[in-house]
Structure formats: C-alpha cells, structure tokens
Amino acid sequence: GLGIASMVIVFFCNSYYIMILVWGLFYLVHSLTDTLPWATCGHSWNTDQCTELFNLDLCYNVSTNATASTWTSNFSCADMTNKRSPVIEFWENKVLRLSGGIDEPGEMNWQMILCLVTTWVVVYFCIWKGVKSTGKIVYFTALFPYVVLILLLVHGVTLPGALGGIVYYLKPDWTKLVEAQVWIDAGTQVFFSYAIGLGALTALGSYNRFHNNCYRDAYILAVINSLTSFFAGFVVFSVLGFMASEQGVDISKVAESGPGLAFIAYPKAVTLMPLSPLWATLFFIMLLVLGLDSQFVGVEGFITGILDLFPQPGAGSLRRELTAALCCIVCCLIDLSMVTQGGMYVFQLFDNYSASGITLLWQAFWECVVIAWVYGADRFMDDVARMIGYRPLPVMKWCWAVVTPLVCVVSKEGHRMWRRAWGHAWGHGSIGWVLALSSMLCIPCTVIYKLLRCKGSLRERWQLLTTPIWGQHHLEY
C-alpha cells in the first residue's frame, strides 16, 4: 500500500512539477534579446495600467511638490496604486494568459505547448536508457548550478543594497514560530528537498550494491542539500536587497515565495542590473538544469516502480524505453490542462493537494509505523547492519518509532486547522481532496484487500502478511 501510494504521489509530482521547467524555458527563450521583454511596457500583452516606474519616493515628491522639473508625468500616489509592473503583466498576460478562475479554462497557448513538448522530449531522452546514462547526465546537471550560483553571488554582493538583503535573510523573526503555516511550509520544503515519502530515493537505491553504505549517504544528502539551500539564499536575497534599494521600499515588499520568486521577483531585479539579458539567461539556464535534475529522479523512480511491479526479466531494454515513453506521453497530456488560460489554477490545485502537505505527512507517518512497530525497529536495524557492517546510532530507532510519527501527527493537525481557518471554494476543495485521497486511501485499502485475500484467523493472516519474503539477491548475502 505504501509503495502504490508513493507511486501515485510521484506520478502527480511528475505531471505538475515540469511546469516550472516549461515556464523557465519560456523565459529563457525571451531572455535572448537586447532588451528584456518584461522590462518595458508597450507590448501587445501590456494594459493601459502598465508603468515602468517603481521608485515610490518620486511619487511622494509629486504629492508634495508637483513641478515639471521633478516629474514628467501626471501620476499621483493615488494613481500609482492602480498601476501594474511590466514584469507582472508579462507573467500573467503573456506567460499564463490568466483567466478569472479554474472554471474558465480558455484557450491553449501554442508557445507554451511547444515548450512543454520540448521539455518532455529532453526528459525522455535523458532517462530512457536507465540509471547508467542518467547518472552521467546528472554529473553535469548537479554541478553546473553551483557554477552559476557562485557567479550570481559574486555579482549580487557588488550591487548597492545587497548587504541589507543579506541581513534581512539572516535575521530571524521569532514571532513567526507561533504560526502553524510556517511549520507546515518548512516541513513541506524538507519533504520535497529530500524527496521524503515519494519513493523515488528508494527506487534509485534499489540499483545500488547490497553493501552500499546507505546510512552514510543519507547524512551526506541531508548536509549537502541543506547547505546548498542556505547558500542559494545569499544569492537570492543579495539581489532582492538591491531591488528594494532601487525601488525605495522595504525588502519584505519585494520578497516573493513559490513561483513568484523565480518568475516575478528575480526577473524584476534583473531588469535593474547592467547587462540584464546576460544575468537573466544565466539564471533561467540554472533554473532549467536544477528542474531537470529533480524531474529525472521523479520519472526514473516512477518507471522503476512500474517495471518492478510487473517484472519480466527477459524483456530487455525495449520494454523500459516503451514504459518511459508511455509515462512521458500520459504526463504531457495531463499537462495540457496547465497551458490553458486557467492552467495556473490547475497547477495550484495539484501543488496544494496531490503531492504536498497532508499527503506526504500521511505517507511518512505510516512508513515509520510499519518499519518501527509492524516490522520492528530492532529487526530493521539488524538488516541495515548486515548491509553496511555496523548498527546505526540508537537515536535512529527512536526517530522511526516516536519522534517522526509524532511530528507528522502534530503537523497534520496543524494542517487541518489551517485549512479549516482559511478554507477554499467548495469545488476547488472537493477536487483537491479527490487528488489527495487517491494516494492516501491506497494504504488502508491495500491492508483490507490483503487481509480478505488470506485464509485462516485474523491473527494467522496478520502473521503471514507481516513476515518478510527474502529473495535470492538477499539470501546470497
């Protein structure tokens, strides 16, 4: 049940996460110009409310001393509140072509369809031959972003106002710790960064040798991942500090989260830099490479699960290539709903319900319960010791048995309370819960199905179903 649930979750992830790459590719193509299209007004997608002026200090000067020498337009502060940035208009009117809601799908964007198909073709030909070929590609996709991050940081810290952004980044606001949503966002971020509960790491780990030190690798993954995120924060906030300084506003006004950071805040900051097309190109190349790296893992994990679910040892590589192609085509067809005018609402629906928040917490909770309480934490420690040659630290056992399940339960309660407090539209929520329950119900339904299929008393059935079946590849060790 856990295995099937994780495959459902990673399938949803593969379907909607690639839109980040699609948008990134769209921005990258439009960055290869002398002047960035989201830096100015006057384009076909801009409205009459578009303005290139951001510095609010000038607005205050107009309100107190409106003279021709200090101001060349007739905008007052009241007028400025209705004005829209060309960056936002490019994002909403050109990229998304945003409609009024999910019930207004509108037309498809042929440019986005082209980017979508291109992205899926690249993903397919990077993973179709298996982990050996993917592994060689990952050497580039994993290391290249560090080169770009270092270049962006070196440039970012030289910009005026960068120090203020870095101080804002490093100075914590302790009052946020009492907000449930902060903890939920943090937990979701950790789950996604480490790919916890998705089954992808388990699938990729199945290609390792039996005696591979997975315990050490888990620590290395956590340390490198978190340090990279911490380092990337300096890159982002040095640029956001510069943007806040240029616009004369507090940095909290320009700090976005989610897609807004990558496609509104950072592109806006780039327009204020010298050689802006160069830095925009570098940023979106980095975004694409990082996204492809994550997409490889998700698609590879899903394909591995499918092939293991229906094993055919003599089928050869053709079966794998066809399975990968079918997976990419199905996901691409689902993604067509996200390149419509209502596509952003579909994307948010998948993001909020199908593979984040309560679904990942539910998955992690039952993984720990099954390992620690059904199979047995001590037995699992023995199994790990047989592979790596020594027993993990005893604290690991208590994490599996007590700490992690408790954190998941508390987080789920906070998540439920937050949903109740803020709520969603009835239709949006009902569709969302269908997406969430499609993976969550896999676990109890599988338990019931397996128990009903077995013979004997309930105790005998439970005993039979919780006894591990050792394969030849285990017994030889």
Side-chain angles (χ1 to χ4, degrees):
L2 282 163
I4 296 171
S6 65
M7 287 183 64
V8 172
I9 292 173
V10 82
F11 173 75
F12 285 142
C13 268
N14 293 340
S15 298
Y16 83 87
Y17 178 82
I18 201 167
M19 289 307 299
I20 304 292
L21 281 71
V22 174
W23 296 329
L25 179 60
F26 190 85
Y27 270 85
L28 176 61
V29 172
H30 285 80
S31 299
L32 305 175
T33 57
D34 293 334
T35 304
L36 294 175
W38 58 83
T40 58
C41 299
H43 302 281
S44 59
W45 59 83
N46 291 128
T47 66
D48 295 336
Q49 299 301 317
C50 181
T51 179
E52 298 169 25
L53 179 73
F54 296 115
N55 198 323
L56 298 182
D57 287 344
L58 295 177
C59 160
Y60 298 135
N61 291 338
V62 170
S63 63
T64 55
N65 184 21
T67 64
S69 61
T70 60
W71 190 248
T72 58
S73 288
N74 297 321
F75 295 146
S76 66
C77 286
D79 294 329
M80 288 299 295
T81 58
N82 298 319
K83 295 298 178 180
R84 286 166 57 84
S85 161
V87 181
I88 295 176
E89 292 210 337
F90 181 84
W91 170 241
E92 294 184 356
N93 301 343
K94 176 66 174 175
V95 181
L96 301 180
R97 300 188 181 183
L98 210 57
S99 68
I102 196 171
D103 55 338
E104 299 176 22
E107 300 175 352
M108 288 188 179
N109 186 341
W110 69 267
Q111 293 175 316
M112 298 301 291
I113 293 175
L114 193 61
C115 290
L116 174 66
V117 173
T118 302
T119 308
W120 270 118
V121 168
V122 171
V123 169
Y124 173 72
F125 283 107
C126 286
I127 58 96
W128 69 320
K129 290 295 185 182
V131 292
K132 287 188 177 180
S133 61
T134 308
K136 295 182 178 67
I137 296 168
V138 167
Y139 277 115
F140 170 76
T141 58
L143 297 176
F144 178 74
Y146 286 100
V147 176
V148 179
L149 279 173
I150 291 170
L151 288 174
L152 290 174
L153 179 63
V154 170
H155 178 66
V157 295
T158 61
L159 298 171
L163 181 61
I166 293 173
V167 170
Y168 178 85
Y169 172 53
L170 295 176
K171 186 178 179 181
D173 181 0
W174 300 109
T175 61
K176 294 288 185 182
L177 295 179
V178 299
E179 298 180 16
Q181 185 57 29
V182 170
W183 290 95
I184 294 165
D185 289 341
T188 302
Q189 174 63 27
V190 169
F191 270 75
F192 266 104
S193 292
Y194 297 173
I196 297 170
L198 300 178
L201 292 181
T202 312
L204 295 177
S206 68
Y207 292 100
N208 282 328
R209 295 181 177 86
F210 185 85
H211 292 302
N212 178 69
N213 195 332
C214 55
Y215 181 63
R216 178 202 60 204
D217 291 350
Y219 280 104
I220 293 174
L221 168 70
V223 170
I224 293 178
N225 198 309
S226 295
L227 288 179
T228 301
S229 298
F230 184 64
F231 174 68
F234 287 94
V235 179
V236 172
F237 277 88
S238 63
V239 175
L240 293 182
F242 160 71
M243 186 169 71
S245 174
E246 288 290 299
Q247 296 181 18
V249 297
D250 188 77
I251 190 172
S252 61
K253 303 293 184 183
V254 298
E256 298 272 354
S257 64
L261 176 63
F263 301 111
I264 296 177
Y266 211 93
K268 185 189 291 185
V270 168
T271 62
L272 303 173
M273 300 180 188
L275 300 174
S276 55
L278 170 65
W279 298 111
T281 302
L282 279 175
F283 175 76
F284 287 111
I285 288 176
M286 181 191 71
L287 189 70
L288 269 175
V289 171
L290 280 172
L292 283 171
D293 223 4
S294 300
Q295 194 72 16
F296 293 162
V297 173
V299 177
E300 185 64 54
F302 182 76
I303 294 170
T304 299
I306 293 292
L307 296 177
D308 287 353
L309 198 59
F310 306 102
Q312 294 181 17
S317 62
L318 180 61
R319 177 169 170 263
R320 179 198 162 78
E321 292 168 14
L322 292 174
T323 304
L326 183 62
C327 170
C328 292
I329 290 170
V330 171
C331 289
C332 187
L333 291 175
I334 294 173
D335 291 334
L336 290 177
S337 66
M338 301 183 198
V339 295
T340 61
Q341 289 175 289
M344 186 58 173
Y345 304 110
V346 179
F347 174 85
Q348 290 176 331
L349 196 63
F350 273 76
D351 188 38
N352 288 334
Y353 289 99
S354 67
S356 63
I358 197 167
T359 53
L360 294 179
L361 291 168
W362 174 266
Q363 182 79 358
F365 172 80
W366 286 111
E367 282 180 2
C368 289
V369 168
V370 168
I371 289 296
W373 298 103
V374 179
Y375 182 71
D378 289 318
R379 186 186 293 177
F380 192 72
M381 293 276 277
D382 291 339
D383 293 339
V384 175
R386 288 189 184 97
M387 290 193 293
I388 67 176
Y390 59 91
R391 287 175 67 85
L393 292 172
V395 69
M396 298 299 294
K397 181 173 70 174
W398 293 107
C399 284
W400 301 330
V402 180
V403 178
T404 305
L406 189 62
V407 169
C408 289
V409 169
V410 172
S411 298
K412 276 195 289 187
E413 181 64 20
H415 191 271
R416 183 184 63 81
M417 291 172 64
W418 183 80
R419 290 287 186 203
R420 180 185 295 174
W422 293 98
H424 286 272
W426 182 86
H428 189 244
S430 59
I431 298 171
W433 280 111
V434 169
L435 290 173
L437 292 174
S438 61
S439 62
M440 294 170 69
L441 289 179
C442 290
I443 300 169
C445 288
T446 305
V447 172
I448 295 169
Y449 173 75
K450 292 284 188 181
L451 285 171
L452 293 176
R453 285 282 305 261
C454 282
K455 295 181 180 179
S457 65
L458 183 62
R459 183 185 182 88
E460 291 171 340
R461 297 180 189 188
W462 183 262
Q463 187 66 34
L464 176 65
L465 291 171
T466 55
T467 302
I469 301 171
W470 297 101
Q472 289 299 322
H473 58 298
H474 294 131
L475 294 175
E476 63 180 296
Y477 294 100

